[in-house]
Amino acid sequence: MPVIPGSFAYHRPDSLTQAVALLADLGEEARPLAGGHSLIPMMKLRLATPEHLVDLAGIVDLKGIRTDGSDIVIGAMTTQHELVGSDLVAAKVPILRETSLLIADPQVRYVGTLGGNVANGDPGNDMPAVMLCLGASYDVTGKSGERRIAAREFYQGAYFTALEPGEILTAVRIPVPAAGHGYAYEKLKRKIGDYATAAAAVVLTVSGDTIATCSIGLTNLAETPLWAEEAAKILVGSAPDAATVKKAVAAAEAITAPASDGRGPAHYRTKMAGVMLARALARAQARARA
Ligand SMILES: Cc1cc2nc3c(=O)[nH]c(=O)nc-3n(C[C@H](O)[C@H](O)[C@H](O)COP(=O)(O)OP(=O)(O)OC[C@H]3O[C@@H](n4cnc5c(N)ncnc54)[C@H](O)[C@@H]3O)c2cc1C
């Protein structure tokens, strides 16, 4: 099995305009390069053989974390390590910090970017389900201009997304959840640094004993990340007892379609999705009531 990528030309534009123009000129054999921690391993295995890599690392406009009205806007080239260290993220969208800390190991997080993680389309990536859970959207720029795509409409299949050839994801835009919300990302993995066998993201608010709002995302349980809308609906308006949680868990399990692979047979992974969801719900509620 080859472990050396095929040959390619390397380009390092220093503006978004240049990067978009390069990708348009070079055509379908060109790919953006972010942290390289998904793309380079794929190239080493010859599962990706781009003839041109357009490195986004020199484009300063793609970095940074800021608020914009009621949204938090995170530049695509912001690393997972920078998410872990951001006071703004910790204060406004703490589930991003919790999730980042469960991605791989520090070495990967130092260079792996949020934009690369969500644009990649790998069902094993952790951030996409969190973005579905949060109702995030992605700002993209290509030769036809700029557009904004809801994360819930972005993922079409394993490694297939709504990105058109040559488009660059520039930023992730997240509506800041209500102050005092509860959150949790629960991830079952075989060892530190592994992708999820099953994982669940929960963001909710409570009013007294009752769950007032709830959103749920699931990782690595189908060809795309999943937004478990029906499961969340079962919980909203309830002071969830064991029977209600069981019903919500069953609704979430019902939309999963995981592969049987080295992480376990499909029915096991589906059941683990339910276990992760029940744990995430318990932890999110405890945080919201604290
Ligand atoms: C050992 C190891 C363990 C890992 N474990 C996990 C894990 O547990 N959970 C997890 O979520 N991830 C994991 N990863 C993946 C890691 O988080 C990657 O860094 C991430 O998936 C991709 O981000 P990147 O910046 O490295 O993107 P790259 O590898 O550079 O790019 C990935 C893909 O996205 C495209 N792309 C990148 N940026 C953009 C953009 N701005 N616009 C358009 N297209 C773009 C590229 O063309 C490429 O097709 C692991 C990686 C390794 C090596």
Side-chain angles (χ1 to χ4, degrees), residues 19-42:
V20 167
L22 265 173
L23 287 168
D25 286 352
L26 297 169
E28 294 207 356
E29 295 310 320
R31 293 273 283 272
L33 175 70
H37 270 49
S38 288
L39 184 53
I40 303 293
M42 298 276 275

Side-chain angles (χ1 to χ4, degrees), residues 201-221:
V202 170
V203 171
L204 54 73
T205 56
V206 295
S207 172
D209 289 341
T210 306
I211 292 184
T213 63
C214 180
S215 186
I216 298 167
L218 301 173
T219 297
N220 220 6
L221 290 153

Side-chain angles (χ1 to χ4, degrees), residues 86-214:
S86 161
D87 291 340
L88 191 57
V89 165
K92 301 285 188 192
V93 203
I95 193 170
L96 289 189
R97 182 173 192 277
E98 181 160 297
T99 306
S100 299
L101 282 167
L102 291 171
I103 292 177
D105 48 45
Q107 199 176 350
V108 171
R109 297 197 291 264
Y110 282 136
V111 278
T113 65
L114 178 62
N117 197 291
V118 299
N120 193 24
D122 181 344
N125 281 160
D126 289 291
M127 284 298 179
V130 176
M131 296 304 153
L132 304 195
C133 178
L134 288 164
S137 54
Y138 304 149
D139 289 346
V140 309
T141 302
K143 61 176 189 256
S144 321
E146 295 170 19
R147 60 191 183 118
R148 184 165 294 166
I149 310 167
R152 290 173 190 165
E153 287 162 16
F154 187 77
Y155 298 97
Q156 301 175 344
Y159 299 100
F160 282 96
T161 70
L163 275 181
E164 296 290 343
E167 277 186 323
I168 294 174
L169 193 153
T170 55
V172 171
R173 180 174 286 268
I174 299 165
V176 172
H181 70 277
Y183 66 92
Y185 189 66
E186 283 284 343
K187 175 175 176 180
L188 177 67
K189 50 192 171 163
R190 296 170 300 180
K191 61 182 175 58
I192 294 289
D194 195 16
Y195 290 87
T197 299
V202 170
V203 171
L204 54 73
T205 56
V206 295
S207 172
D209 289 341
T210 306
I211 292 184
T213 63
C214 180

